[in-house]
């Protein structure tokens, strides 16, 4: 199967690695990737494309004669890339623009959940500050403020400081057509569950948990995610089935009833509250960095199930097979993140880290820069070969993944690898894959 993968971040590197790693003689994969990620480019033939231009993606897909297009990030889906590819008759893993509203609009997702009978936090969608302040009065602290539009995982503020909450709401409303969702605070630990969906059938992956705030002990501002792990020893065994039955399947059924069937990956962000399972949010693509941990545990071929989801045939393919091993992902970030990132610093130690058995490093924000003197480059003749250095070029730079028989071993392995990697300004959390010793969860 020839696959075009749209997107070139850490999530896409993890997807590409899983496609290649699980490729078999029965299910061989030929991969075409989007250029711009040095490590991703090593896994397939790379092409320069504009992921937000549906026509450009279609041109690449048709010129390469691919069997399947896999769209990694949310922005191309909201831009209608899947629609354009489908119109040309090529299967695509990723929802249409209308179905992608489950992530693009928090208020739309709330409407779908209400119609589907899915439990979530009580909320108000606000378009003025007067409405925001009234919602604060009604719901009380802690204040949960969510940008109604896409915000790259950083549009949510949870705080007891009303002034801080108001500032975030005002910033969200300052955009043209801006809206904000104010909702009740959900107690309890959060769980991420990815589900494959083909418009009717739902197939769950393995649960994971990510760590959103930038600092140890869940201190500091929200980020796109600073680490993740899977499996979750504290989560009851029946949780996955319950989430599918009570959340994912009703939403997929409701989307079909509305005439906007959802095909692709539904990310269910959930709170295991004292009152039961409650939805925090939906995403319409693999989450980052949970993908890096979850797909590392996949032992069966990934490509056939992506194709089945894209073609409405999930019920006809075997369920994915999962390793009993644990996987832990630690994000190494640039100085300043989640604010403006300090980039351009050389990264060293990745090769040494990957020499550790059970470790691999996913590239989320790296690039290669020429290190030669500019005068030497300018004067170089046809035989001159420049030298390059790997540098950090984004906020989240590397996802260091450790896989081992137990979570404790996987966590220790991941942090051993992190200690071998260096770049100026780097910071990471030291408490990924830890949880309170007295954590206990009930589902009712």
């Amino acid at each position: 199967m020839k696959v075009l993968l749209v997107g070139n971040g850490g999530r896409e590197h993890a997807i590409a690695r899983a496609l290649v790693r699980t490729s078999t003689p029965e299910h061989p994969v030929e991969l075409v990737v989007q250029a711009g990620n040095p490590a991703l480019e090593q896994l397939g033939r790379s092409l320069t494309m504009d992921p937000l231009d549906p026509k450009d993606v279609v041109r690449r897909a048709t010129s390469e004669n691919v069997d399947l297009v896999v769209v990694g990030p949310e922005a191309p889906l909201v831009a209608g890339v899947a629609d354009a590819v489908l119109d040309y008759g090529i299967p695509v893993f990723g929802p249409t623009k209308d179905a992608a509203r489950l992530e693009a609009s928090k208020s739309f997702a709330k409407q779908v959940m209400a119609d589907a009978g899915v439990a979530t936090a009580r909320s108000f969608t606000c378009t003025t500050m007067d409405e925001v302040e009234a919602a604060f009065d009604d719901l009380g602290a802690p204040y949960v403020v969510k940008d109604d539009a896409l915000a790259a995982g950083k549009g949510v503020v949870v705080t007891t400081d009303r002034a801080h909450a108001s500032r975030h709401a005002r910033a969200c409303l300052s955009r043209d057509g801006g809206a904000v969702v104010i909702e009740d605070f959900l107690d309890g630990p959060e769980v991420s569950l990815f589900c494959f969906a083909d418009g009717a059938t739902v197939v769950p992956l393995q649960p994971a948990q990510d760590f959103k705030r930038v600092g140890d002990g869940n201190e500091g501002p929200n980020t796109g995610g600073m680490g993740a792990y899977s499996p979750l020893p504290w989560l009851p065994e029946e949780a996955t089935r319950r989430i599918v039955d009570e959340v994912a399947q009703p939403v997929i059924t409701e989307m079909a009833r509305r005439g906007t069937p959802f095909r692709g990956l539904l990310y269910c962000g959930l709170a295991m509250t004292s009152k039961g399972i409650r939805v925090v949010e939906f995403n319409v693509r693999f989450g980052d960095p949970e993908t890096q941990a979850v797909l590392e545990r996949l032992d069966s071929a990934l490509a056939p199930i992506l194709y089945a989801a894209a073609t409405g045939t999930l019920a006809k393919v075997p369920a994915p097979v999962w390793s009993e091993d644990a996987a832990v992902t630690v994000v190494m970030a640039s100085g300043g993140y989640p604010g403006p990132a300090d980039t351009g610093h050389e990264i060293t130690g990745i090769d040494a880290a990957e020499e550790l058995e059970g470790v691999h490093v996913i590239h989320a924000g790296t690039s290669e820069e020429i290190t030669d003197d500019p005068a030497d480059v300018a004067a170089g003749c046809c035989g001159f070969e420049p030298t390059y250095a790997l540098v950090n070029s984004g906020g989240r730079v590397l996802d260091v993944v450790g896989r081992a028989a137990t979570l404790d071993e996987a966590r220790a392995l991941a942090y051993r690898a992190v200690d071998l990697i260096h770049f100026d300004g780097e910071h990471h959390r030291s408490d990924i894959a830890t949880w309170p010793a007295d954590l206990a969860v009930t589902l009712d």
Side-chain angles (χ1 to χ4, degrees), residues 14 83-84 100 330 442:
D83 305 67
V330 179
T442 58

Side-chain angles (χ1 to χ4, degrees), residues 20 25 43 84 100 111 124 137 141 157 171 197 211 215 313 319 340 343 356 359 398 410-411 427 433 444:
V20 172
L43 297 176
Q111 294 167 11
F124 298 91
D137 290 340
V157 163
F211 290 66
T313 57
T343 60
L356 298 174
V359 168
L398 301 171
R411 181 178 183 276
H427 65 96
D444 296 311

Side-chain angles (χ1 to χ4, degrees), residues 222-265:
N222 269 344
T223 71
M226 294 298 292
Y229 68 101
S230 178
L232 310 183
W234 47 267
L235 188 68
E237 289 186 9
E238 69 270 24
T240 295
R241 177 189 57 79
R242 289 276 302 272
I243 294 166
V244 170
D245 292 346
E246 299 174 15
V247 176
Q249 188 65 64
V251 166
I252 296 304
T253 300
E254 172 62 19
M255 293 297 288
R257 187 195 68 78
R258 289 168 171 250
T260 53
F262 186 101
R263 291 182 174 180
L265 194 290

Side-chain angles (χ1 to χ4, degrees), residues 59-93:
R59 279 195 297 270
R60 302 303 184 187
T62 55
S63 66
E64 291 293 321
N65 195 29
V66 301
D67 302 298
L68 175 68
V69 174
V70 176
V71 183
E74 63 274 24
L77 295 168
V78 174
V81 164
D83 305 67
V85 174
L86 286 171
D87 286 346
Y88 203 86
I90 300 173
V92 57
F93 181 82

Side-chain angles (χ1 to χ4, degrees), residues 271-287:
M272 302 293 110
T273 77
S274 56
K275 297 179 180 179
I277 300 169
R278 298 291 185 270
V279 174
V280 176
E281 65 175 350
F282 291 124
N283 291 336
V284 298
R285 37 70 189 182
F286 280 104

Side-chain angles (χ1 to χ4, degrees), residues 24 138 142 197 218 286-287 290 320 329 387 401 432:
T24 66
D138 189 309
N218 294 321
F286 280 104
E290 299 100 316
T329 300
T387 55
V401 183
I432 303 301

Side-chain angles (χ1 to χ4, degrees), residues 397-416:
V397 181
L398 301 171
D399 306 303
V400 181
V401 183
R403 173 175 171 173
T406 69
L407 267 173
D408 285 344
E409 292 171 338
R411 181 178 183 276
L413 186 60
Y415 278 107
R416 279 181 61 199

